[in-house]
């Protein structure tokens, strides 16, 4: 039986189609992911990008929840140094309170943006020790509270125009909504640091091999070798390893290579300081999946090409789940890629 497939969406903008279209197409992708049999639909937090519209992930996930019924939804992830753990617990606790046990909370240490924007966002350094403390706080906020924790909160006093007696104010911070929802946490990473934190805290680990394949083998080994199922924060009893893959599927390898030039053109522009939406594909650019090995940032071709690659990838790195990201200028062809992959993957189970 094949391992599950999930979707990682960054809500990319296509040149000439606009930002609203990108957000609407993300909603359509969430619907397709559910109907096609994907296990999860996650959105990644990015800021200040002219390509990615996924800055307010909790808002977009709420929209997706309104238009789906069963697929798991989540942040892949929330960049925790940008946020107070209490506010993250309140946002995702609110989602869980409204829509039930359908949400995952992936946590990352990177800012998800450029240094200038990061300085306007960040409330923490992202250092391993500080990050681990923030994660532990989140775990606590999602736990049920005992009745002894309840007292008068400042919000309640303010709503009534009261000045509470200091002796009556509760002495523990509560995430409301949030407490008792037990939203599952995942650790994200693209280096050994994320693997170390995931292992030490006993959390499932999602590795960003779709853009950092060179670190995949060492990160997986570090995570598995150091996993602590007895940690107070542990949420799984064994290492659970998800890996990201950048995939584009079309009916033929030639078409897939052609469509993928939108991504390669964007990535080349980014390396030269150009921050722009995806352009239309360009037949003058060349991309050939046959030139790529197992340590790759992209898998492009027919469904047969891609499934054959993924089979080898899963076996080599002992992956428990694959999370797929995909780029194409035409949003319909991006969704077609996800559909073709799901059809081929499930057909050969």
């Amino acid at each position: 039986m094949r391992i599950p497939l999930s979707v990682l969406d960054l809500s990319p903008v296509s040149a000439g189609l606009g930002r609203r279209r990108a957000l609407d197409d993300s909603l359509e992708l969430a619907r397709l992911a559910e109907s096609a049999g994907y296990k999860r639909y996650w959105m990644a937090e990015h800021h200040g990008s002219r390509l990615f519209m996924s800055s307010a992930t909790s808002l977009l996930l709420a929209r997706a929840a309104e238009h789906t019924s069963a697929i798991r939804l989540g942040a892949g992830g929330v960049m925790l140094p940008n946020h107070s753990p209490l506010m993250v617990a309140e946002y995702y606790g609110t989602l869980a309170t409204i829509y039930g046990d359908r949400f995952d909370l992936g946590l990352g240490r990177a800012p998800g943006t450029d240094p200038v924007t990061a300085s306007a966002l960040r409330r923490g350094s992202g250092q391993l020790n500080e990050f681990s403390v923030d994660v532990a706080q989140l775990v606590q906020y999602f736990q049920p509270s005992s009745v002894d924790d309840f007292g008068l909160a400042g919000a309640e006093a303010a709503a009534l125009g009261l000045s509470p007696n200091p002796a009556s104010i509760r002495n523990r911070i509560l995430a409301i909504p949030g407490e008792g929802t037990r939203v599952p946490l995942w650790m994200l990473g693209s280096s050994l640091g994320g693997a170390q934190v995931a292992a030490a805290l006993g959390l499932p680990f999602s590795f960003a091999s779709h853009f950092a394949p060179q670190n995949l083998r060492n990160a997986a080994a570090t995570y598995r070798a150091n996993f602590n199922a007895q940690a107070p924060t542990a949420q799984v009893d064994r290492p659970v390893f998800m890996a990201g893959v950048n995939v584009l599927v079309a009916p033929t390898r030639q078409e897939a290579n052609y469509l993928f030039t939108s991504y390669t053109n964007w990535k080349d522009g980014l390396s030269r300081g150009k921050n722009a939406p995806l352009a239309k594909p360009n037949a003058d650019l060349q991309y050939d999946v046959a030139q790529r090995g197992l340590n790759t940032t992209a898998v492009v071709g027919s469904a047969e090409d891609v499934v054959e690659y993924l089979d080898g990838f899963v076996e080599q790195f002992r992956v428990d789940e694959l999370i797929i990201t995909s780029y194409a200028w035409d949003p319909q062809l991006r969704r077609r890629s996800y559909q073709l992959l799901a059809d081929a993957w499930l057909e050969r189970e």
Side-chain angles (χ1 to χ4, degrees):
M1 183 174 179
R2 297 189 182 280
I3 66 172
L5 293 179
S6 292
V7 171
L8 178 64
D9 186 18
L10 291 78
S11 198
V13 178
S14 296
L17 300 185
R19 296 173 179 178
R20 171 64 186 269
R21 174 69 184 272
L23 296 175
D24 289 346
D25 284 322
S26 284
L27 176 58
E28 292 305 311
L29 178 57
R31 289 169 163 165
L32 181 144
E34 180 168 76
S35 65
Y38 286 87
K39 183 173 183 178
R40 310 174 202 272
Y41 171 84
W42 281 8
M43 299 199 80
E45 176 187 337
H46 286 269
H47 300 275
S49 171
R50 296 189 183 279
L51 176 61
F52 303 132
M53 294 297 101
S54 54
S55 56
T57 51
S58 58
L59 295 179
L60 298 177
L61 292 170
R63 189 186 190 201
E66 287 286 344
H67 294 87
T68 57
S69 60
I71 190 170
R72 294 199 66 82
L73 304 169
V78 165
M79 299 299 104
L80 196 52
N82 297 340
H83 307 279
S84 155
L86 176 60
M87 291 200 70
V88 174
E90 290 176 342
Y91 283 14
Y92 284 85
T94 298
L95 291 172
T97 300
I98 297 172
Y99 302 107
D101 181 22
R102 293 182 58 198
F103 288 88
D104 306 312
L105 181 51
L107 303 171
R109 291 190 301 127
T113 189
D114 59 88
V116 175
T117 306
S119 68
L121 283 168
R122 290 174 78 87
R123 49 156 293 279
S125 67
Q127 295 298 313
L128 288 178
N129 288 343
E130 182 178 329
F131 181 68
S132 298
V133 170
D134 284 351
V135 175
Q137 285 184 340
L138 261 178
V139 172
Q140 185 62 45
Y141 287 145
F142 285 130
Q143 300 303 311
S145 297
S146 69
V147 294
D148 293 339
D149 289 323
F150 288 93
L152 185 64
E156 295 148 355
L160 298 173
L162 299 176
S163 297
N165 184 331
S168 69
I169 296 177
R170 68 170 67 113
N171 58 14
R172 178 187 167 193
I173 298 172
L174 300 178
I176 301 175
E179 59 171 358
T181 55
R182 300 185 187 273
V183 175
L185 302 186
W186 283 73
M187 188 59 54
L188 310 184
S190 58
S191 66
L192 295 186
Q196 291 166 351
V197 174
L201 299 181
L203 299 178
F205 183 41
S206 181
F207 187 79
S209 38
H210 56 294
F211 67 79
Q214 68 277 8
N215 297 325
L216 172 59
R217 189 179 303 278
N218 287 341
T222 297
Y223 171 61
R224 293 185 175 114
N226 297 284
F227 185 80
N228 181 10
Q230 306 305 316
T233 51
Q235 299 199 353
V236 288
D237 59 7
R238 63 172 183 84
V240 176
F241 187 69
M242 177 193 289
V245 187
N246 186 358
V247 168
L248 187 60
V249 180
T252 67
R253 179 182 298 181
Q254 292 73 21
E255 183 185 356
N257 288 337
Y258 166 67
L259 295 176
F260 198 67
T261 59
S262 294
Y263 175 80
T264 57
N265 190 30
W266 168 79
K267 192 173 180 181
D268 180 63
L270 193 65
S271 69
R272 292 182 282 106
K274 183 180 179 182
N275 183 356
L278 285 176
K280 291 183 178 181
N282 185 346
D284 293 333
L285 300 176
Q286 298 295 320
Y287 183 88
D288 187 357
V289 69
Q291 299 174 0
R292 303 285 169 149
L294 274 175
N295 274 4
T296 181
T297 57
V299 192
V300 180
S302 67
E304 182 178 13
D305 290 331
V306 172
V307 167
E308 180 180 2
Y309 172 92
L310 294 179
D311 277 339
F313 183 89
V314 168
E315 181 178 359
Q316 180 170 345
F317 297 107
R318 295 189 292 137
V319 179
D320 297 299
E321 186 172 335
L322 290 169
I323 188 160
I324 305 299
T325 189
S326 187
Y327 298 92
W329 177 83
D330 187 332
Q332 292 185 356
L333 298 184
R334 183 167 78 115
R335 292 195 294 273
R336 182 188 69 175
S337 174
Y338 281 107
Q339 184 70 64
L340 290 172
L341 176 59
D343 290 346
W345 190 258
L346 296 174
E347 181 181 66
R348 293 176 56 182
E349 281 189 345

